[in-house]
Structure formats: structure tokens, C-alpha cells
Amino acid sequence: MHAAMIIRAPAKINLGLTVHQRRPDGFHEISTVMQQLSLSDTILLEPRREQGYSFFCSDPVLSGNDNLVCRAAALLSKKAGPLLPGVKISLYKGIPVAAGLGGGSSDAAAVLKGLNDFWRLGLSTAVLMDLGSQIGSDIPYCLQGGTALARGRGEKITPLPGLPFYWVVLALPPGLSISTGQVYSALDPAQYRHPPLAPLLRALRERQDALLFDWFSRGMTNTLEKAILPLYPRLEGFKSRFSSLGLFPAMSGSGPAFFALTGNLPAARGAVRALQETGNRAFLCWTVSPEQQTKE
Ligand code: ATP
């Protein structure tokens, strides 16, 4: 009998994101540095008598077979062949949905990794990454974890020296739903290639906190933020409010979540409270490395 497993699927933030150009296949060529956070979804894998998998999600809106968790389980079982032990997959959402925090990709990566162990398939991380990239561009990064540079559509991963521990104030305005596709189509080619990631990469490689804070103090770390802010004045107001708390907020992915790093816990707590009091969703979390992720 296989033992039950609990797996954490962490949220990611984009410390920087540059869109280079639109490719002939319709995707955009990007470079982005991603970092995992303590905020996570939780996935439970339990044995069940019947073969195949069943799926439960704490969010009824995400309970269908199009959930990336089901797509990952289906892809892996197709690769592994018949006669796999039955498994009940339960997903408990903790990461805000469609916020630029990569929750769906992280869930899919966690299920690929978890079922590889649960079914004792012994597939390498490289094989899982290849499978994952067929479902979503961020899934290879989620399998790699930690701090990493992603290029191409986001599927070509280069690990970077791990970011030191920081508190992270993470927040998003309520009721603002923005699709990733909508953001990319709002991009003006004149915005391509800005900002270049070189100063961020230098800060990480040289492990210099001062350079890292220089990067965030520029106020624009993500090409998509440039495209989206003029379209959503409410988001611009939210960013100004966040900046007025003495932090340097940056947009994650295609938004609308913003984050700010700080070494100062009381300041982080105060900012979370202030953002919540003005009606926003706000979380106090911290940076994590793959070694810190628990698996039971
Ligand atoms: P994107 O990959 O589009 O940048 P995101 O990081 O902004 O995504 P997600 O929370 O991953 O946001 O959700 C994007 C969409 O994916 C949701 O609107 C939802 O319909 C779909 N989805 C499928 N599976 C999941 C899942 N396990 N968790 C969250 N969303 C999911």
C-alpha cells in the first residue's frame, strides 16, 4: 500500500521580467527572474482502491478536469502506462488565483513530482520538466524551484544563486481580474526590451543587497507593468498607496499582485495591516529555497 503524501506548491514572484519580442508562433520571447515564496497551495495524495485518479479542489470554480492538476496527472499516467495504483488528489488553494503568482503551474509541478514518487516511476527532473512544458511555460521553473532565470517562453531555466531570506509583503487590489493574454495583447512593441535584467542579475550573482534595492527603487521592473498600469487607473492608485508605505512594490507576472522585499519585520507587518485596512488582500510571507519545502 502506498503511503499518503502532503506536498506544498509555493507561489512565485517575478523579481524582474523583460518581454523581448513577439515570436512567429504567437508567444512572446521573455527573460524573467523568478523566486518562490512561503505562501503555498497544499496537495494531498492518498491511495484509493479503484485504479486511476480522482480530483477534489477546495475552490469549486477550479474543480473541473481542465484544472492543471488533472492535466498533469493525465499526462504523467499516459507516459507511465497502464496499471498504476489508484490515487485521490486533493488540492487546497492558498494562493490567490489569476494574480500573477503562478499557482496553477506550481500545482501542476507539485503533482508531477508527487505522482512520480507515489507511483515510483523514477523519472528524472529533466523528463518531468519536458512533460510540464507541454502544459504551461512556468511549470519547468516550478519543478526547478528557488531563484532562477527563465528564458524563451519561460521554459528555458538557468538556476541562479539563491536570494537571501527576505520578508515579502504581497498584496493585490480586490475584484480586479486581468488575463495574461489581455496584458500581452496590450503591449506596444515600443515597450519591448525594457527594463533589461542585467542590473538584477548582477545584484544576485554578486549577492549585493544594495544593488538589489537599487533595482527595485527604479519603480519599473517588469515590461508588463508598463503595459497594464495605463489601462487600469485603479491599479496605479494601488501601487502609489503601496509605495507610500516606504517600500518598493513591483508587479509579479501579469499582475495584479504586487510585492515588496524587506529585511524589517515590523515594517512588513505594518504594511500588510495598512494594505488590508484599505480593502486590499495582503499577505506577509518570505522567500524560500527548494531545500526548505516540506514533503511528508
Ligand atoms: P498565468 O499562468 O496565466 O500567468 P497566474 O499565475 O496569473 O497564471 P493562476 O492562479 O495560475 O494565475 O491561474 C490562471 C488560470 O488558470 C485561472 O484563471 C484558472 O482558470 C486556471 N487554472 C487551472 N488550474 C488551476 C489551478 N490549479 N490553480 C489556479 N488556477 C488554475
Side-chain angles (χ1 to χ4, degrees):
M1 180 61 107
H2 289 65
M5 292 168 65
I6 297 173
I7 314 160
R8 288 260 182 90
K12 62 81 186 159
I13 47 176
N14 300 78
L15 301 178
L17 189 156
T18 312
V19 180
H20 298 285
Q21 62 193 16
R22 193 166 186 277
R23 311 190 319 188
D25 64 5
F27 287 102
H28 284 80
E29 192 76 17
I30 63 164
S31 301
T32 180
V33 175
M34 295 198 260
Q35 170 64 45
Q36 285 177 321
L37 298 183
S38 56
L39 180 73
S40 61
D41 292 341
T42 304
I43 293 167
L44 179 61
L45 301 181
E46 295 169 281
R48 65 171 208 154
R49 245 183 254 290
E50 311 79 37
Q51 278 193 349
Y53 64 87
S54 66
F55 176 60
F56 162 83
C57 182
S58 60
D59 181 344
V61 175
L62 298 176
S63 293
N65 276 340
D66 54 347
N67 194 298
L68 290 176
V69 160
C70 297
R71 295 184 54 200
L75 195 63
L76 193 64
S77 38
K78 192 166 154 217
K79 168 102 183 158
L83 304 178
L84 295 166
V87 58
K88 177 180 176 196
I89 307 172
S90 305
L91 167 62
Y92 299 91
K93 289 298 292 182
I95 305 172
V97 176
L101 299 171
S105 302
S106 188
D107 295 341
V111 161
L112 287 174
K113 234 189 237 177
L115 287 180
N116 187 38
D117 291 348
F118 190 89
W119 285 331
R120 300 183 185 138
L121 302 176
L123 298 175
S124 67
T125 303
V127 170
L128 296 180
M129 281 180 162
D130 185 47
L131 284 174
S133 69
Q134 296 170 33
I135 315 176
S137 309
D138 285 348
I139 297 175
Y141 162 72
C142 296
L143 284 156
Q144 168 74 41
T147 313
L149 172 66
R151 283 176 291 199
R153 285 186 290 128
E155 82 289 9
K156 294 180 191 153
I157 309 299
T158 310
L160 292 170
L163 192 70
F165 179 96
Y166 282 108
W167 298 106
V168 179
V169 177
L170 184 69
L172 58 154
L176 195 62
S177 173
I178 302 167
S179 86
T180 306
Q182 191 187 353
V183 179
Y184 275 100
S185 27
L187 262 182
D188 177 343
Q191 294 166 324
Y192 289 163
R193 289 180 285 281
H194 298 288
L197 293 186
L200 170 63
L201 293 171
R202 184 172 162 222
L204 293 168
R205 290 194 170 120
E206 296 181 10
R207 296 176 185 272
Q208 292 217 36
D209 286 7
L211 291 182
L212 189 64
F213 282 93
D214 276 353
W215 167 256
F216 287 111
S217 70
R218 295 157 174 241
M220 196 56 76
T221 58
N222 179 337
T223 312
L224 299 176
E225 191 181 324
K226 285 189 184 176
I228 203 172
L229 284 185
L231 298 177
Y232 293 90
R234 197 150 71 80
L235 198 58
E236 197 138 28
F238 165 77
K239 186 183 178 189
S240 309
R241 168 85 189 114
F242 201 154
S243 306
S244 73
L245 301 169
L247 296 167
F248 298 123
M251 194 173 86
S252 186
S254 52
F258 276 71
F259 65 92
L261 307 185
T262 175
N264 182 331
L265 178 57
R269 282 205 181 111
V272 167
R273 209 174 311 120
L275 287 161
Q276 286 172 343
E277 280 167 5
T278 42
N280 301 293
R281 296 178 72 188
F283 305 82
L284 175 60
C285 39
W286 54 90
T287 54
V288 295
S289 60
E291 305 76 52
Q292 290 166 299
Q293 286 175 41
T294 53
K295 199 158 110 185
E296 292 148 31

